[in-house]
Amino acid sequence: MSLAAAKQYLSFPHLEPELRAELEPLVGAAEGGDAAALAEVEDRFFEPLAFGTGGLRGFMAAGLRRMNQPNVRRTTLALAAVAQAHAPGKKIAVVGYDTRINSEVFAAESAAVLAAAGYQVYLGSRPLPTPFLCFAMKALGSACGVIITASHNPKEYNGFKAYNDLGGQVVDPWDLEVEAQMAALPVVPLPPVAPEGRIQPIPLEIENAYLDLGLGLLQHPKVFTPARILYTPFHGTGIAFVPALFERAGLPLSISPSQGIQDGTFPTAPRPNPEELAAYAAPLREAEALGAEVILSNDPDADRIGVVARRDGAWELMSGNDLAALTLDYLCTQRGLKGAVVSTVVTSDFMAEVAQQHGLPVVWTLTGFKNIAVCMDRLEALGEAYAFSAEESYGMLLPPSLRDKDGVTAALVVAEMAGHYKALGQTLFQAVAALMARVGTFHNRLVNLEDPRPGGAKRFAEAMERIRTAGLATLGGDQVTSWEDFQSGLWHGEGRSETILDRPDDRAVALPILRSNVLKFRLQSGGFAAFRPSGTEPKLKVYLQSRTDVALLDRMEAEARMLLGL
């Protein structure tokens, strides 16, 4: 069946010549009985590339299940139709791209489709950070937006992030309608013809306005000594704005000589992920040579931020949970931040506890900034102020005008925060320890599990059902006091069940949290374990929290692996 789909794909006369040249020999080998070629064809054509969280992501190559120009055309055509239905009065679209291989090509394709669909398209003139492009969408009043990026994935990947008329990643009903529109389109749509003048660069004044936005987030603490910062954009887009932002702020910044070079092959960081210390190998050597005290990083599309600093003399990667809590506390203690804090159900309670200590309400939502954006839209509709949001995977958002995480402006604020604590005689890790001394101890761990064997996703789904029905009374030797099933939307505890709410402390405005296949078990000691499988891949994440010691994390991880059959 997949071989027939591949031959049908090749039958489209307007298929890009380079894709045809790549695919024809592979199909020929498969027809000739080459088992490896047949398996490759099967992988490329057994189903279309899924329109998942916010859009597409996959390996770049010819095929239905790959990132390429036909899939970009098809998805953009669907997005344009949905945007026209939901935002008929808006005739502007924004398209941008990162430093990856083919990103500029895919962005030009998407821009042409939108222009041919009747939009005035503003296309990034160079690789630009995702948060800036989101800012441009809001500033220009776009009906929709497209960002070509695969975030922190290896060089073989690329992706397509779709945005709605509010400047956030598409959510229900947009995402389902985009999927439906895609299903009705040819797998290789005709290349578009963009009317002359319909595609223009993003105006320079938008860039200056974004830099001004970042400068407005500075706290200007009375006690301050600039920290020696080394910055790495992991060969990505952050270099387009972060150095300029620091220069305007008057803060010193050293750029990683090796990783400050834009390069979609990521030569010094094959996995350019700020969550993995291995990606910092080159900057760590440079930091030693330069005498840096802190390494700041952005992933290649610069929406996430990472921090490496010294703890007891050794370089250590700070967790996203700790960085978010410390940043929130810094903002609250400097300017008396006001408004609601948005967190996700798998993020540490550390940030929520800091918020509550400062008298700020907390809104809970499912994982992902597309869901945080929905909470922000609702706060705005209610006339409530927004203060801060973050999730454990190194994403933070300070400015209330954006609808996606922003590692660029966060880098400036974190650098200033490092300087404040330096003046107080503290490293960032010492500042976290001091904060925990005030609000309580939080140890957190993320366990990434994969089952690449055939049927791995099915086995994880079955394991989730086993856990869901097991009636767990203890976990890691600690008593389970309550548990939440986000698939049913119910909280269970104290001999009763009730709807899981996004604002349990303010039921007058609370709403039920959206449904998702996530389980969360809370322990008597204040810890928790949350299980969250991927919807499309044989992967599952386990999020662990201990309020006592690291040994509890070890016991919970061991038991979680046993429950999952790993």
Side-chain angles (χ1 to χ4, degrees), residues 247-443:
E247 183 178 358
R248 291 194 185 193
L251 291 179
L253 184 71
S254 297
I255 311 299
S256 167
S258 58
Q259 295 185 346
I261 302 164
Q262 293 190 337
D263 188 337
T265 66
F266 310 117
T268 70
R271 292 173 58 91
N273 188 346
E275 296 182 74
E276 299 178 8
L277 191 58
Y280 296 86
L284 281 168
R285 291 191 296 269
E286 294 160 354
E288 289 285 358
L290 293 168
E293 297 163 322
V294 176
I295 300 172
L296 291 182
S297 72
N298 290 137
D299 58 341
D301 70 327
D303 60 353
R304 298 197 297 164
I305 179 174
V307 171
V308 178
R310 291 189 185 275
R311 189 207 288 263
D312 300 326
W315 290 104
E316 187 173 321
L317 179 62
M318 182 173 283
S319 75
N321 286 313
D322 287 356
L323 180 60
L326 185 65
T327 305
L328 175 59
D329 185 68
Y330 173 71
L331 295 171
C332 290
T333 54
Q334 292 302 312
R335 281 194 189 174
L337 189 66
K338 300 298 181 185
V341 172
V342 187
S343 185
T344 75
V345 299
V346 298
T347 297
S348 171
D349 293 327
F350 189 11
M351 181 177 72
E353 185 64 31
V354 169
Q356 289 162 356
Q357 291 273 337
H358 287 284
L360 304 183
V362 179
V363 181
W364 298 93
T365 189
L366 297 176
T367 308
F369 262 79
K370 69 174 187 178
N371 295 308
I372 289 174
V374 172
C375 294
M376 294 176 70
D377 291 335
R378 184 158 182 265
L379 286 169
E380 188 174 278
L382 291 170
E384 291 189 57
Y386 162 86
F388 183 82
S389 61
E391 57 182 359
E392 52 78 35
S393 56
Y394 291 64
M396 295 195 296
L397 177 56
L398 283 68
S401 56
L402 271 67
R403 290 297 183 269
D404 210 344
K405 53 188 177 287
D406 184 354
V408 174
T409 60
L412 183 68
V413 173
V414 170
E416 184 190 53
M417 178 174 72
H420 171 63
Y421 286 115
K422 177 182 178 179
L424 293 175
Q426 294 180 325
T427 66
L428 288 174
F429 281 107
Q430 289 170 333
V432 169
L435 178 57
M436 286 192 187
R438 282 170 34 214
V439 305
T441 299
F442 294 85
H443 301 289

Side-chain angles (χ1 to χ4, degrees), residues 51-55 57 130 134 137 145 147 160-172 174-175 303 368-371 373-374 377 391 403-405:
F51 188 84
T53 303
R57 186 174 296 179
T130 287
C134 293
M137 291 175 204
I147 303 177
F160 178 111
K161 291 181 74 173
Y163 289 80
N164 61 25
D165 61 323
L166 299 177
Q169 294 179 50
V170 294
V171 292
D172 183 49
W174 283 56
D175 52 357
D303 60 353
F369 262 79
K370 69 174 187 178
N371 295 308
V374 172
D377 291 335
E391 57 182 359
R403 290 297 183 269
D404 210 344
K405 53 188 177 287

Side-chain angles (χ1 to χ4, degrees), residues 1-45:
M1 187 67 177
S2 293
L3 191 56
K7 293 172 75 172
Q8 182 189 19
Y9 190 83
L10 287 168
S11 71
F12 287 91
H14 49 270
L15 178 68
E16 277 70 13
E18 64 272 20
L19 298 179
R20 183 181 303 279
E22 177 206 334
L23 188 59
E24 282 181 337
L26 183 66
V27 170
E31 287 183 308
D34 185 318
L38 188 59
E40 177 67 14
V41 170
E42 171 72 19
D43 188 58
R44 293 191 190 197
F45 285 93

